Amino acid sequence: MSGPLSGQVALVTGASRGLGRATALELAAAGAHIIVTARSTRGQSTQATLPQTTVDDTADAIRAADGQATPLRCDHTDPAQVEAVIRHIAVTHGRLDVLVNNAWGAHDRHGVGGGPELWDEPLEQLRIMLLAGAYSDYVTSLLSLKHFMAGQGRGLIVSTTWHTEEPPGWLPYEVSKAAKNRLVYTLGHKLRDRGIAVVGVAPGWMRTELMLQHHTEQELAGQTETPHYAARGIVALARDPQVSRHTGRILDVGELADLYGVTDLDGTQPQWYARHLEGRAGG
């Protein structure tokens, strides 16, 4: 498939469903060859109740649209598995232009929310979230830099994240996202003069497969966006020859819509975070 990213190679982690899957599809539509990774493979899904949510299904969807994709199983909290993926890319493609750190899976064991009191939170929850979030991003980013981007003198690293809230929300979630955001800022600062941009992208309330499983259409109506909205913002960053102006920053998907004119699948430009802030201020 030809497009503005033709000839480029992108690694999208956590690409079996949600924002990772949408990002892989949108980057492929722009012409890039996509390496899609996740723990979920056909017959071994971490969310067996959700249909067609494995890296194999994502790769099949890309190929069905005449795109190029390679599915690989990888737990991005395991450096050895990440190293194997990076070495595969080195042997097969010899380059890596875009890395999208989207792997998560931190809700698999305990779900969403803590106990009735702050101190009733499972003590391992923060460790799980830090591993699945900032540590996963850290490992994958550093190995990508070591084997590709530092030598290339160019590249884009995107980490999908969340704006930390005021007043703060769920304790371990807020701490883990703050760690991800600080990693974006620090990497961006360290790589500023090396031609490598590091940007955090914060979507709003997305209608992911898991979200649709736990909420009714009535609950979601008028408040949510599809994962393709943020994914299109990520593609816009990858296409921007001046993307380094954003390095070290966390950009809300609404900001990306304003900057690049991207829209959701229905042509709208939701501003969930801006409305959320207004609601907090008004409350």
Side-chain angles (χ1 to χ4, degrees), residues 31-53:
H33 185 113
I34 315 300
I35 311 299
V36 289
T37 64
R39 294 170 299 152
S40 290
T41 56
R42 195 161 291 142
Q44 292 183 310
S45 175
T46 60
Q47 295 288 339
T49 61
L50 298 176
Q52 297 183 324
T53 55

Side-chain angles (χ1 to χ4, degrees), residues 15 21 36 54-64 67-71:
R21 178 183 173 93
V36 289
T54 72
V55 284
D56 303 292
D57 296 310
T58 299
D60 286 348
I62 290 171
R63 294 169 186 146
Q68 303 174 77
T70 302

